[in-house]
Amino acid sequence: MQRTVTLTVRFTLWGIQRWWNPSPIRRWCGLVAPAVLDPEEDPDAYNNDDDDDSNSIPLPVRIAAFKTILSLPDAFSMKLARRMVDNRNMTQALLNQTVSRVLSSQRVEALVEKYTAPVREFSSDWDTGLLNVYRADFLREDTELLNGRKLLSEAQLVMRNTGRGDAAFCVISGAEDGVVPLRSSQRIAGLLGCKCVEISQTGHLPMDETPHECARSLLDFIQPRST
């Protein structure tokens, strides 16, 4: 009986000590190919100096056209969104975002299946959901809330204020990312005060193109802080 009481008291004191002085909570945030700074906000990062295609549509024109589509009534915008997807070559779209020379044909087919599955699963609702997401991003009047730099600052604040202990960020980018250029990822890492890990021979989908290298980069980021 006395031993039971002693153990109970010791455990209670240990619990009070842990409550009074809890262990630090370590928080990590890994950003892979982060589309945080959009082309309008960070045009220099998205300006491809090596692109000599004189037939390419200027970025401001494309953004203006996209906003026009989003502002149309649903009766028009939904049909247009579905027509764009139905007429799109999904395999080519995937290859345009990756470094195709490192992917086998079987791997490409698997990735196309992976990324188009939600469209088939939610065949009657995906267009509504997608348009509403884009409308929330592009058509809100309070553009300050959508400022990428503000979002990064708020993320840092949340990470610092959630519990106790340290907080760390890491940015991972494909060296040949044509969707979110390496320069944009490097700028995001600079704003967060963290490292930008560059994975060679990789495009916009590091987790799919070079999964082992991407996982290793995340583990190398986390493990030194977990000890």
Side-chain angles (χ1 to χ4, degrees):
M1 180 67 177
Q2 182 179 2
R3 183 177 180 181
T4 302
V5 172
T6 301
L7 290 175
T8 301
V9 171
R10 287 182 177 177
F11 181 79
T12 302
L13 291 176
W14 175 84
I16 293 174
Q17 182 182 19
R18 295 283 293 180
W19 171 79
W20 187 260
N21 186 25
S23 300
I25 300 175
R26 295 178 173 87
R27 298 171 304 285
W28 309 283
C29 180
L31 304 176
V32 181
V36 179
L37 303 178
D38 64 45
E40 282 189 305
E41 184 181 355
D42 195 15
D44 293 340
Y46 285 84
N47 180 29
N48 187 357
D49 298 329
D50 299 326
D51 187 5
D52 296 328
D53 185 4
S54 58
N55 296 321
S56 61
I57 302 174
L59 181 61
V61 176
R62 283 182 284 161
I63 293 176
F66 187 54
K67 288 184 176 180
T68 300
I69 294 173
L70 293 177
S71 63
L72 293 174
D74 286 357
F76 298 98
S77 58
M78 297 297 180
K79 292 181 180 179
L80 186 56
R82 281 189 170 270
R83 188 178 302 117
M84 292 171 62
V85 172
D86 290 341
N87 295 337
R88 191 174 191 187
N89 185 327
M90 292 300 180
T91 299
Q92 188 58 50
L94 177 75
L95 293 175
N96 290 341
Q97 298 189 35
T98 62
V99 179
S100 57
R101 63 179 181 271
V102 302
L103 296 176
S104 65
S105 58
Q106 294 83 359
R107 184 60 176 156
V108 171
E109 291 177 4
L111 291 178
V112 171
E113 173 69 19
K114 168 186 174 180
Y115 284 105
T116 57
V119 176
R120 295 190 300 275
E121 182 178 355
F122 304 100
S123 58
S124 61
D125 300 314
W126 68 263
D127 49 4
T128 304
L130 184 62
L131 282 172
N132 287 338
V133 168
Y134 279 126
R135 283 168 173 167
D137 282 342
F138 282 88
L139 302 182
R140 290 181 58 171
E141 295 180 359
D142 189 359
T143 55
E144 183 181 3
L145 292 177
L146 307 178
N147 183 286
R149 287 173 172 78
K150 180 176 175 63
L151 290 175
L152 292 173
S153 297
E154 290 182 351
Q156 290 177 300
L157 183 63
V158 169
M159 290 279 282
R160 286 196 301 265
N161 292 342
T162 304
R164 302 178 182 177
D166 59 351
F169 290 87
C170 178
V171 175
I172 298 175
S173 175
E176 301 179 45
D177 192 335
V179 180
V180 178
L182 176 60
R183 285 181 294 184
S184 179
S185 293
Q186 291 171 337
R187 188 159 298 176
I188 291 170
L191 292 170
L192 291 172
C194 70
K195 180 181 180 182
C196 179
V197 179
E198 175 184 345
I199 302 180
S200 63
Q201 298 188 41
T202 304
H204 186 56
L205 306 174
M207 66 293 267
D208 292 314
E209 298 175 71
T210 47
H212 297 292
E213 291 82 352
C214 185
R216 172 51 55 192
S217 297
L218 288 171
L219 289 174
D220 289 344
F221 162 59
I222 293 173
Q223 286 176 342
R225 294 170 174 79
S226 61
T227 57

